[in-house]
Amino acid sequence: MLRIEHLTKAYGDKVAVDDLSLHIRPGEIYGFIGHNGAGKTTTLRSAVGIQRFDAGEIYICGTSIREDPIACKRQLAYIPDNPDLYDFMTGIKYLNFIADIFGVSAQDRQTRIRTYADRFELTADLAQPISAYSHGMKQKLAVIAAWLHDPKLILMDEPFVGLDPKASHLLKEMMREVCDRGGAIFFSTHVLEVAEKLCDKVAIIKQGKLIRSGTMDEVRGDDSLEEVFLELEAEEC
Amino acid sequence: MLKILLKKQLMEVFRSYFYNPKKNTARSKAGIIGMFLLYIFLMLGVIGVSLGFLAWTMCGAFVAADMGWLYFLIFGFMAVLLGVFGSVFSTFTGLYLSKDNDLLLSMPIPVGSIIVSRLLNVYLIGLMYIAVVLLPAFIVYWIFGTCSLAVVIGCLVMLLLVSVFVLLLSCLLGWVVAKLSLKLKNKSFVSVLIALAGIGLYYFLYFKAQVLLRQLIENVVVYGEQVKGSAYGLYLFGRIGEGDWLAMLLFTAVIAVLSVLVWLLLKKSFLSIATASGAQKKTVYREKAAKLQSPDRALLGKELRRFASSANYMLNCGLGLLFLLALGVGLLIYGAEMVPEIDRMLRPGSAAVLLCAAFCLMNSMNDMAAPSVSLDARTLWQVQSLPVSGWQALRAKLNMHLLLIAGPALFAVVSAAIALQDGIAVRLLFVLVCLLTALLQAEWDLFVGLKLPNLHWTNEITVIKQSGAVALAMFGGWGLALVLGGPWFLLRLDAAVYLGIVAALTAALDLLLWQWLKKRGGIVYSNL
């Protein structure tokens, strides 16, 4: 579903991502953890086609993001760490805008908007301008927008920040549903307990380098993910 | 505490002089000096000199008629008008909409200190406008009238009193705007309407001012006696400039009382206004069938919504729409009379060429596409992550620009074509040249917007009003008008031939820029 091969990206002299390779298969929830500035966001932005990279290759469903970004973007959805949405639109106008871009049929968009907005208890607020939304409401809207075209692959940067416990729980359910339908999720998080309970696989990145990856059991062994993470951080120091 | 807040406020006010927001770096010493010199040149060199010239033409007559007080009264009024015009919107935004209001209110800082520190900014802006009007007037009076100690002190007191009065008036108007904005639904459109009314009034007064001033100078004694007889307070105000100690004392007391009243009002209402989220009635969502659109239409709709959502955007980048409409109306009314006169005075065909240049000049005030790239800033990730090409996103911006100007531009061009006395070929070529230059202006705007993006702004006014892209977009339009009209006077060509050549060259430039935007521009946008 998502194959990252030898990804390298530098900002001036600083190498943000260094020869990183990952493979996310259909049905997998893949967690991406690392300290602040480790290179998680750069990797995600490169995978989505927002950011050019210096070396390596990224494939979405077998298509190179570098060679055919439009075809790749049709297959995926992305939620950044701080979803700055179009404040000048209402919630419903924003969702229709996204649906128009992806060419979602009237029937499908109506059903999905109704379903997801009801689940997130956002229906009553859809006619409000986004500028009036709280951070959590914007995050919920971004999630609904991401799910609107039924993407095969969803990439998220710290998706649980700002969500209330109920919405967080719902998002976890929705992530699992995507994978059960054959899709895949690749997301970054600092909440290790969430990663531990939710992810099928996990990758740990430090200073741009992948230091460990695999199934949850392979990565943590007999310890908790937190212990492994802290140990790896200390080792490298 | 107040000292710390004032220091922070001054750092904010003068930040752009010491810091380059585009490069995210501190300016060099030469850069800082350059910024200050540019500012002094613009304020004193351009506005100050023109007002000084006005004072110079008026002062002699007023001094000769022993009506110095009326001279000071007139300039005092002008200073109040300019000061309030320049600072009223900054009072509202600076006092009530500052992003750090919540932060400061959460700290152990007295509300009064926050208000005072905010008002310092407003006061400095007001003082700047007032000084530009009053200082040249004072200097001219000291040269042509009297320059005693009492007069100099009187002038300085007048400067102080007018600046405080402007601050009070701005505070009151800012308070009214704040109260209204809590109740209004379509704030941006209401703001645009109010601003347009203000601009209309400004131009009306500007065109009437010369006649009024001439009448005033010719009948200075009559008007002076009338004012003195019916409004003695105004006479006393003018007397301040002449060094009347009693007038100084009286007006200082009045301003002091007004200051206390305004202060009490602000202090009482600040907290409730600054922390209010608006009393708008919540619109309840009712599900209805969505109207499906193509991705291109959806992107265009997004750009149009963005434009309509901001009064600043509409006013600063769409003012040319008004000018184009005015040009069209003016040509319908005066065209039949004016056009033959131009052709007669210069040579046949001149009106067609000059009207093309005039169209370019008016259209140069339409710069919607120029800041549109920078305005994406924090939401840039959105379009970049969607399955649309960079060129599609740019084309939406270009179409937004062209769609907005289409009506007024066509109206102006058709009005001009009707007014022209030339044959059908020249008229058709005139229409073609105007339309091609309109396209060129839109493409140029987008080109400079892509070349000079600012994606790190904290206030949209930075990219809408103060950005290099918008300035270059406008100057580009002026340059186009000059290049289009200038050679007509050097080359002795027939109008049809001349316009034909201009059309061909403009079309070539259109094509060139279109290709650049489509190929290179799309990539640049995708990689911002």
Side-chain angles (χ1 to χ4, degrees):
Chain A
M1 187 71 75
L2 169 64
R3 184 186 286 276
I4 300 171
E5 290 179 353
H6 308 291
L7 176 70
T8 301
K9 169 72 188 173
Y11 299 106
D13 294 335
K14 188 183 182 298
V15 181
V17 180
D18 192 359
D19 197 30
L20 184 134
S21 296
L22 280 175
H23 186 194
I24 290 108
R25 293 179 176 80
E28 284 179 353
I29 297 183
Y30 210 119
F32 198 32
I33 58 179
H35 58 83
N36 293 328
K40 301 187 294 295
T41 300
T42 300
T43 306
L44 284 166
R45 284 171 61 87
S46 301
V48 176
I50 293 178
Q51 194 154 27
R52 280 209 288 194
F53 40 91
D54 303 324
E57 196 52 89
I58 295 172
Y59 298 97
I60 311 284
C61 302
T63 308
S64 161
I65 190 97
R66 211 198 283 259
E67 283 169 15
D68 194 349
I70 306 282
C72 289
K73 287 173 188 178
R74 281 191 213 290
Q75 312 287 328
L76 60 84
Y78 170 62
I79 302 174
D81 54 346
N82 192 0
D84 284 306
L85 310 176
Y86 298 126
D87 279 353
F88 50 89
M89 289 185 184
T90 61
I92 187 66
K93 285 214 164 82
Y94 175 73
L95 293 177
N96 275 317
F97 167 75
I98 299 291
D100 283 334
I101 296 286
F102 280 99
V104 181
S105 71
Q107 177 70 41
D108 284 349
R109 80 171 67 177
Q110 199 168 18
T111 311
R112 286 172 196 159
I113 289 173
R114 191 189 300 146
T115 307
Y116 295 128
D118 281 351
R119 288 176 83 177
F120 276 115
E121 296 170 349
L122 202 66
T123 309
D125 297 296
L126 285 180
Q128 292 290 100
I130 295 174
S131 56
Y133 280 23
S134 69
H135 184 275
M137 287 162 79
K138 283 183 190 173
Q139 188 75 5
K140 287 177 185 176
L141 192 69
V143 171
I144 298 171
W147 257 254
L148 205 52
H149 66 284
D150 194 20
K152 289 182 182 166
L153 173 68
I154 301 175
L155 297 99
M156 295 181 282
D157 200 351
E158 297 287 347
F160 299 103
V161 174
L163 289 181
D164 57 55
K166 198 174 169 188
S168 288
H169 179 74
L170 178 60
L171 178 59
K172 287 174 211 165
E173 270 182 17
M174 286 166 62
M175 287 163 76
R176 182 50 67 196
E177 285 166 13
V178 168
C179 293
D180 290 346
R181 290 199 299 267
I185 304 272
F186 183 42
F187 76 106
S188 73
T189 183
H190 287 298
V191 191
L192 300 180
E193 291 82 4
V194 170
E196 199 164 5
K197 283 181 188 163
L198 189 65
C199 298
D200 304 307
K201 285 186 177 174
V202 68
I204 301 175
I205 183 174
K206 186 178 179 184
Q207 289 167 352
K209 284 184 189 292
L210 187 70
I211 52 174
R212 192 167 291 187
S213 66
T215 63
M216 190 56 73
D217 290 338
E218 284 169 359
V219 170
R220 70 181 168 188
D222 295 331
D223 299 320
S224 70
L225 187 60
E226 187 179 29
E227 284 168 332
V228 173
F229 179 72
L230 293 174
E231 199 178 296
L232 286 169
E233 286 286 312
E235 260 178 32
E236 295 291 322
C237 291
Chain B
M1 183 65 72
L2 185 60
K3 198 176 156 189
I4 298 167
L5 287 177
L6 290 175
K7 196 176 164 191
K8 178 203 77 79
Q9 204 65 36
L10 284 172
M11 276 166 67
E12 268 183 45
V13 174
F14 293 106
R15 189 168 187 264
S16 61
Y17 290 82
F18 297 98
Y19 180 79
N20 186 336
K22 193 178 165 240
K23 291 182 182 167
N24 234 5
T25 53
R27 290 190 194 279
S28 64
K29 272 185 185 170
I32 295 168
I33 293 167
M35 285 294 288
F36 274 101
L37 284 177
L38 179 71
Y39 181 75
I40 291 166
F41 169 74
L42 287 174
M43 289 307 289
L44 285 178
V46 178
I47 306 173
V49 164
S50 56
L51 286 166
F53 181 74
L54 181 69
W56 179 71
T57 56
M58 287 170 64
C59 191
F62 283 81
V63 170
D66 197 22
M67 286 283 168
W69 65 267
L70 190 55
Y71 170 82
F72 285 112
L73 180 65
I74 290 166
F75 276 93
F77 264 122
M78 281 168 61
V80 169
L81 273 178
L82 198 67
V84 172
F85 189 75
S87 59
V88 64
F89 283 107
S90 54
T91 314
F92 167 57
T93 52
L95 198 58
Y96 302 109
L97 301 182
S98 284
K99 284 186 177 165
D100 58 347
N101 266 347
D102 284 358
L103 177 71
L104 295 183
L105 285 169
S106 71
M107 292 188 196
I109 304 171
V111 173
S113 299
I114 298 173
I115 299 174
V116 170
S117 68
R118 299 274 190 239
L119 290 183
L120 175 74
N121 193 11
V122 182
Y123 180 74
L124 286 176
I125 292 170
L127 183 65
M128 177 185 79
Y129 283 104
I130 290 157
V132 163
V133 179
L134 287 184
L135 287 180
F138 291 161
I139 292 166
V140 169
Y141 186 82
W142 295 339
I143 295 167
F144 292 99
T146 320
C147 188
S148 65
L149 183 67
V151 168
V152 173
I153 292 174
C155 287
L156 293 178
V157 169
M158 184 179 243
L159 181 71
L160 181 76
L161 291 179
V162 170
S163 62
V164 176
F165 181 67
V166 163
L167 175 69
L168 299 178
L169 212 55
S170 299
C171 285
L172 281 175
L173 289 171
W175 178 80
V176 172
V177 173
K179 282 279 184 189
L180 281 175
S181 74
L182 289 177
K183 305 222 181 281
L184 292 173
K185 204 175 173 192
N186 295 314
K187 282 178 224 169
S188 51
F189 281 108
V190 173
S191 305
V192 168
L193 284 177
I194 293 171
L196 286 181
I199 290 166
L201 185 69
Y202 173 80
Y203 278 102
F204 176 77
L205 290 175
Y206 178 80
F207 289 119
K208 291 277 176 192
Q210 282 192 325
V211 181
L212 286 172
L213 278 175
R214 199 172 58 238
Q215 284 178 351
L216 192 64
I217 293 168
E218 284 166 2
N219 305 290
V220 65
V221 179
V222 179
Y223 283 119
E225 289 305 326
Q226 277 179 2
V227 172
K228 191 177 170 183
S230 55
Y232 196 73
L234 293 179
Y235 163 73
L236 273 182
F237 176 76
R239 286 283 297 155
I240 296 173
E242 290 187 312
D244 187 322
W245 298 103
L246 185 67
M248 282 185 233
L249 201 68
L250 199 70
F251 271 89
T252 306
V254 170
I255 293 291
V257 171
L258 283 175
S259 300
V260 171
L261 291 175
V262 172
W263 173 252
L264 290 174
L265 175 76
L266 288 185
K267 210 174 168 194
K268 196 180 168 206
S269 61
F270 177 75
L271 208 57
S272 61
I273 296 174
T275 55
S277 56
Q280 278 184 26
K281 203 175 162 188
K282 186 176 170 181
T283 316
V284 179
Y285 169 65
R286 290 185 204 290
E287 191 181 285
K288 52 186 173 189
K291 200 177 145 194
L292 269 64
Q293 295 183 103
S294 68
D296 286 332
R297 284 290 295 266
L299 287 168
L300 174 64
K302 185 210 90 173
E303 294 299 334
L304 288 170
R305 271 196 202 98
R306 180 69 182 91
F307 181 74
S309 71
S310 164
N312 283 326
Y313 196 4
M314 286 191 273
L315 276 171
N316 288 289
C317 299
L319 199 61
L321 300 176
L322 210 66
F323 289 164
L324 286 176
L325 287 173
L327 179 70
V329 172
L331 283 167
L332 282 180
I333 299 170
Y334 303 111
E337 188 185 324
M338 198 179 69
V339 166
E341 191 62 20
I342 295 172
D343 281 342
R344 194 185 60 77
M345 278 170 63
L346 300 167
R347 70 175 206 263
S350 295
V353 176
L354 290 181
L355 279 175
C356 272
F359 175 83
C360 286
L361 214 57
M362 301 292 172
N363 191 41
S364 69
M365 299 299 286
N366 291 321
D367 300 311
M368 303 88 167
S372 63
V373 173
S374 298
L375 282 171
D376 279 347
R378 285 172 300 137
T379 57
L380 199 61
W381 70 271
Q382 189 77 79
V383 172
Q384 286 180 335
S385 67
L386 292 175
V388 290
S389 66
W391 167 234
Q392 271 180 291
L394 291 183
R395 204 170 52 201
K397 295 176 190 302
L398 205 59
N399 288 341
M400 176 267 295
H401 183 119
L402 293 171
L403 199 67
L404 286 169
I405 66 158
L410 278 174
F411 173 63
V413 170
V414 171
S415 302
I418 292 169
L420 288 175
Q421 305 288 305
D422 308 271
I424 190 75
V426 171
R427 290 187 200 207
L428 284 176
L429 280 167
F430 166 81
V431 173
L432 183 66
V433 169
C434 286
L435 297 181
L436 287 170
T437 56
L439 175 63
L440 188 62
Q441 177 78 52
E443 290 173 351
W444 169 252
D445 284 10
L446 196 54
F447 174 77
V448 288
L450 271 170
K451 283 283 180 190
L452 300 167
N454 174 6
L455 305 174
H456 304 288
W457 49 268
T458 49
N459 189 336
E460 65 173 16
I461 202 79
T462 316
V463 288
I464 288 170
K465 201 173 181 176
Q466 299 154 355
S467 69
V470 172
L472 269 180
M474 196 173 67
F475 291 141
W478 294 4
L480 184 63
L482 193 71
V483 170
L484 199 152
W488 169 253
F489 298 99
L490 303 173
L491 307 167
R492 308 300 294 178
L493 291 174
D494 177 67
V497 175
Y498 185 83
L499 287 175
I501 293 169
V502 170
L505 289 174
T506 316
L509 278 174
D510 279 339
L511 199 66
L512 203 69
L513 265 179
W514 184 273
Q515 284 301 318
W516 187 91
L517 289 168
K518 190 176 175 181
K519 290 178 180 165
R520 185 79 199 128
I523 297 168
V524 172
Y525 182 80
S526 299
N527 294 318
L528 280 174

